[in-house]
Amino acid sequence: KIAIVTGGAQGIGKGVTARLQAGGYGVVIADSDAEAGRETLAELAPAGRLWFAETDVAAEDSVAACIASAIRHGGRLDAVVNNAGIARAPRVPVEQLTLASWNRQLGVNLTGAFLMAKHAAPHLRQAADRRAGSVPAGARQSCGSGRGPGRRSDGARQGPLQQAAGGHALHH
């Protein structure tokens, strides 16, 4: 099985990458930080099939190239973990926040997950068909509570994605 982990070169994404690898997945690390991507690749590659695709999840052509890389290296796509995100917004009064900064955060946190879903959907449907139509719990997205110190809710991202998908992401 092949998975893509966005933001997979650092932090939680790196942990998810290692966990999927340990579970037998080949993993494409999709990250915009090429240096961190190469370091993670060098560190985790001995454990199994692992590739790095420098990816800006807010750019559709970059996402499409990442999906193509997964198919080229692994021959299929079974799961996508939309982990990439800008967790620390600039701590400035709203009148000092630039539109470019606002748009970048929306692009990575919201548009990126949409673009991954859009371009991965045909391949994930094929994977679901190979499993006789069942989608394992690990391939589904859920909306976490986001409660607790230092945690943020992904509800702002998940709500629009679920509404846009209309619950039909993997339905024929």
Side-chain angles (χ1 to χ4, degrees), residues 23-48:
Y25 277 80
V27 182
V28 174
I29 301 166
D31 205 294
S32 61
D33 186 333
E35 183 178 343
R38 287 188 295 271
E39 289 172 5
T40 299
L41 184 62
E43 179 184 337
L44 300 179

mmCIF file of all heavy atoms in Angstrom, residues 23-48:
data_model
loop_
_atom_site.group_PDB
_atom_site.id
_atom_site.type_symbol
_atom_site.label_atom_id
_atom_site.label_comp_id
_atom_site.label_asym_id
_atom_site.label_seq_id
_atom_site.Cartn_x
_atom_site.Cartn_y
_atom_site.Cartn_z
ATOM 1 N N GLY A 23 3.880 0.137 9.568
ATOM 2 C CA GLY A 23 2.699 -0.661 9.251
ATOM 3 C C GLY A 23 2.726 -1.270 7.862
ATOM 4 O O GLY A 23 1.748 -1.864 7.416
ATOM 5 N N GLY A 24 3.834 -1.111 7.156
ATOM 6 C CA GLY A 24 3.979 -1.747 5.854
ATOM 7 C C GLY A 24 3.672 -0.875 4.653
ATOM 8 O O GLY A 24 3.717 -1.349 3.510
ATOM 9 N N TYR A 25 3.355 0.381 4.864
ATOM 10 C CA TYR A 25 3.068 1.282 3.750
ATOM 11 C C TYR A 25 4.359 1.801 3.128
ATOM 12 O O TYR A 25 5.338 2.048 3.833
ATOM 13 C CB TYR A 25 2.278 2.511 4.226
ATOM 14 C CG TYR A 25 0.799 2.308 4.342
ATOM 15 C CD1 TYR A 25 0.252 1.674 5.450
ATOM 16 C CD2 TYR A 25 -0.071 2.767 3.351
ATOM 17 C CE1 TYR A 25 -1.119 1.503 5.571
ATOM 18 C CE2 TYR A 25 -1.432 2.599 3.458
ATOM 19 C CZ TYR A 25 -1.958 1.963 4.574
ATOM 20 O OH TYR A 25 -3.304 1.789 4.686
ATOM 21 N N GLY A 26 4.339 2.013 1.825
ATOM 22 C CA GLY A 26 5.305 2.863 1.176
ATOM 23 C C GLY A 26 4.765 4.269 1.339
ATOM 24 O O GLY A 26 3.544 4.475 1.251
ATOM 25 N N VAL A 27 5.627 5.236 1.612
ATOM 26 C CA VAL A 27 5.135 6.576 1.931
ATOM 27 C C VAL A 27 5.837 7.629 1.083
ATOM 28 O O VAL A 27 7.059 7.613 0.945
ATOM 29 C CB VAL A 27 5.339 6.908 3.429
ATOM 30 C CG1 VAL A 27 4.787 8.293 3.760
ATOM 31 C CG2 VAL A 27 4.694 5.856 4.327
ATOM 32 N N VAL A 28 5.038 8.546 0.553
ATOM 33 C CA VAL A 28 5.562 9.736 -0.100
ATOM 34 C C VAL A 28 5.458 10.872 0.911
ATOM 35 O O VAL A 28 4.372 11.194 1.377
ATOM 36 C CB VAL A 28 4.779 10.092 -1.379
ATOM 37 C CG1 VAL A 28 5.251 11.425 -1.954
ATOM 38 C CG2 VAL A 28 4.915 8.990 -2.415
ATOM 39 N N ILE A 29 6.623 11.430 1.256
ATOM 40 C CA ILE A 29 6.666 12.596 2.126
ATOM 41 C C ILE A 29 6.420 13.803 1.233
ATOM 42 O O ILE A 29 7.228 14.100 0.355
ATOM 43 C CB ILE A 29 8.048 12.746 2.793
ATOM 44 C CG1 ILE A 29 8.394 11.517 3.628
ATOM 45 C CG2 ILE A 29 8.120 14.016 3.629
ATOM 46 C CD1 ILE A 29 9.868 11.461 4.018
ATOM 47 N N ALA A 30 5.318 14.495 1.433
ATOM 48 C CA ALA A 30 4.996 15.690 0.660
ATOM 49 C C ALA A 30 5.204 16.891 1.573
ATOM 50 O O ALA A 30 4.462 17.075 2.539
ATOM 51 C CB ALA A 30 3.551 15.639 0.171
ATOM 52 N N ASP A 31 6.238 17.676 1.295
ATOM 53 C CA ASP A 31 6.554 18.795 2.177
ATOM 54 C C ASP A 31 7.180 19.908 1.364
ATOM 55 O O ASP A 31 7.884 19.649 0.385
ATOM 56 C CB ASP A 31 7.531 18.331 3.264
ATOM 57 C CG ASP A 31 7.450 19.172 4.526
ATOM 58 O OD1 ASP A 31 7.793 20.374 4.470
ATOM 59 O OD2 ASP A 31 7.044 18.637 5.566
ATOM 60 N N SER A 32 6.936 21.140 1.766
ATOM 61 C CA SER A 32 7.507 22.285 1.051
ATOM 62 C C SER A 32 8.943 22.576 1.488
ATOM 63 O O SER A 32 9.660 23.303 0.807
ATOM 64 C CB SER A 32 6.646 23.536 1.263
ATOM 65 O OG SER A 32 6.599 23.877 2.638
ATOM 66 N N ASP A 33 9.359 21.999 2.606
ATOM 67 C CA ASP A 33 10.719 22.207 3.116
ATOM 68 C C ASP A 33 11.628 21.104 2.568
ATOM 69 O O ASP A 33 11.688 19.999 3.113
ATOM 70 C CB ASP A 33 10.701 22.195 4.643
ATOM 71 C CG ASP A 33 12.031 22.554 5.276
ATOM 72 O OD1 ASP A 33 13.090 22.322 4.632
ATOM 73 O OD2 ASP A 33 12.020 23.039 6.419
ATOM 74 N N ALA A 34 12.335 21.412 1.485
ATOM 75 C CA ALA A 34 13.156 20.405 0.803
ATOM 76 C C ALA A 34 14.267 19.876 1.700
ATOM 77 O O ALA A 34 14.562 18.674 1.690
ATOM 78 C CB ALA A 34 13.746 20.986 -0.481
ATOM 79 N N GLU A 35 14.871 20.749 2.485
ATOM 80 C CA GLU A 35 15.960 20.305 3.366
ATOM 81 C C GLU A 35 15.439 19.308 4.412
ATOM 82 O O GLU A 35 16.024 18.241 4.605
ATOM 83 C CB GLU A 35 16.611 21.498 4.062
ATOM 84 C CG GLU A 35 17.789 21.117 4.932
ATOM 85 C CD GLU A 35 18.452 22.321 5.590
ATOM 86 O OE1 GLU A 35 18.219 23.469 5.149
ATOM 87 O OE2 GLU A 35 19.207 22.106 6.551
ATOM 88 N N ALA A 36 14.339 19.640 5.058
ATOM 89 C CA ALA A 36 13.753 18.726 6.046
ATOM 90 C C ALA A 36 13.299 17.436 5.378
ATOM 91 O O ALA A 36 13.427 16.351 5.951
ATOM 92 C CB ALA A 36 12.582 19.391 6.765
ATOM 93 N N GLY A 37 12.783 17.535 4.157
ATOM 94 C CA GLY A 37 12.353 16.349 3.421
ATOM 95 C C GLY A 37 13.497 15.398 3.145
ATOM 96 O O GLY A 37 13.384 14.188 3.335
ATOM 97 N N ARG A 38 14.624 15.956 2.703
ATOM 98 C CA ARG A 38 15.802 15.122 2.431
ATOM 99 C C ARG A 38 16.353 14.497 3.715
ATOM 100 O O ARG A 38 16.768 13.336 3.730
ATOM 101 C CB ARG A 38 16.877 15.940 1.709
ATOM 102 C CG ARG A 38 16.530 16.240 0.256
ATOM 103 C CD ARG A 38 17.687 16.874 -0.492
ATOM 104 N NE ARG A 38 18.046 18.190 0.029
ATOM 105 C CZ ARG A 38 17.512 19.335 -0.383
ATOM 106 N NH1 ARG A 38 16.602 19.320 -1.345
ATOM 107 N NH2 ARG A 38 17.890 20.488 0.139
ATOM 108 N N GLU A 39 16.334 15.265 4.815
ATOM 109 C CA GLU A 39 16.816 14.736 6.096
ATOM 110 C C GLU A 39 15.935 13.583 6.583
ATOM 111 O O GLU A 39 16.444 12.558 7.038
ATOM 112 C CB GLU A 39 16.865 15.842 7.146
ATOM 113 C CG GLU A 39 17.972 16.851 6.919
ATOM 114 C CD GLU A 39 17.898 18.049 7.856
ATOM 115 O OE1 GLU A 39 17.032 18.073 8.769
ATOM 116 O OE2 GLU A 39 18.710 18.977 7.670
ATOM 117 N N THR A 40 14.626 13.758 6.496
ATOM 118 C CA THR A 40 13.701 12.702 6.917
ATOM 119 C C THR A 40 13.842 11.480 6.018
ATOM 120 O O THR A 40 13.822 10.346 6.501
ATOM 121 C CB THR A 40 12.249 13.222 6.928
ATOM 122 O OG1 THR A 40 12.171 14.296 7.867
ATOM 123 C CG2 THR A 40 11.264 12.139 7.315
ATOM 124 N N LEU A 41 14.000 11.709 4.736
ATOM 125 C CA LEU A 41 14.199 10.609 3.793
ATOM 126 C C LEU A 41 15.444 9.819 4.171
ATOM 127 O O LEU A 41 15.411 8.585 4.255
ATOM 128 C CB LEU A 41 14.311 11.162 2.371
ATOM 129 C CG LEU A 41 14.419 10.159 1.238
ATOM 130 C CD1 LEU A 41 13.175 9.283 1.176
ATOM 131 C CD2 LEU A 41 14.593 10.889 -0.089
ATOM 132 N N ALA A 42 16.551 10.504 4.446
ATOM 133 C CA ALA A 42 17.796 9.823 4.819
ATOM 134 C C ALA A 42 17.636 9.060 6.139
ATOM 135 O O ALA A 42 18.151 7.951 6.291
ATOM 136 C CB ALA A 42 18.932 10.833 4.936
ATOM 137 N N GLU A 43 16.889 9.637 7.072
ATOM 138 C CA GLU A 43 16.710 9.014 8.379
ATOM 139 C C GLU A 43 15.803 7.788 8.329
ATOM 140 O O GLU A 43 16.091 6.765 8.951
ATOM 141 C CB GLU A 43 16.121 10.040 9.356
ATOM 142 C CG GLU A 43 15.868 9.507 10.750
ATOM 143 C CD GLU A 43 15.200 10.531 11.650
ATOM 144 O OE1 GLU A 43 15.309 11.749 11.396
ATOM 145 O OE2 GLU A 43 14.551 10.107 12.621
ATOM 146 N N LEU A 44 14.698 7.874 7.577
ATOM 147 C CA LEU A 44 13.695 6.810 7.606
ATOM 148 C C LEU A 44 13.772 5.832 6.441
ATOM 149 O O LEU A 44 13.188 4.751 6.510
ATOM 150 C CB LEU A 44 12.282 7.423 7.652
ATOM 151 C CG LEU A 44 11.954 8.308 8.845
ATOM 152 C CD1 LEU A 44 10.532 8.849 8.720
ATOM 153 C CD2 LEU A 44 12.126 7.551 10.159
ATOM 154 N N ALA A 45 14.483 6.171 5.383
ATOM 155 C CA ALA A 45 14.525 5.318 4.194
ATOM 156 C C ALA A 45 14.988 3.887 4.479
ATOM 157 O O ALA A 45 14.456 2.953 3.879
ATOM 158 C CB ALA A 45 15.379 5.947 3.101
ATOM 159 N N PRO A 46 15.954 3.670 5.386
ATOM 160 C CA PRO A 46 16.372 2.295 5.634
ATOM 161 C C PRO A 46 15.238 1.384 6.146
ATOM 162 O O PRO A 46 15.323 0.171 6.001
ATOM 163 C CB PRO A 46 17.466 2.442 6.704
ATOM 164 C CG PRO A 46 18.012 3.808 6.490
ATOM 165 C CD PRO A 46 16.817 4.637 6.076
ATOM 166 N N ALA A 47 14.182 1.982 6.695
ATOM 167 C CA ALA A 47 13.078 1.183 7.227
ATOM 168 C C ALA A 47 12.143 0.662 6.132
ATOM 169 O O ALA A 47 11.293 -0.184 6.400
ATOM 170 C CB ALA A 47 12.271 1.993 8.239
ATOM 171 N N GLY A 48 12.256 1.168 4.915
ATOM 172 C CA GLY A 48 11.373 0.675 3.862
ATOM 173 C C GLY A 48 11.160 1.683 2.763
ATOM 174 O O GLY A 48 11.866 2.684 2.665
#
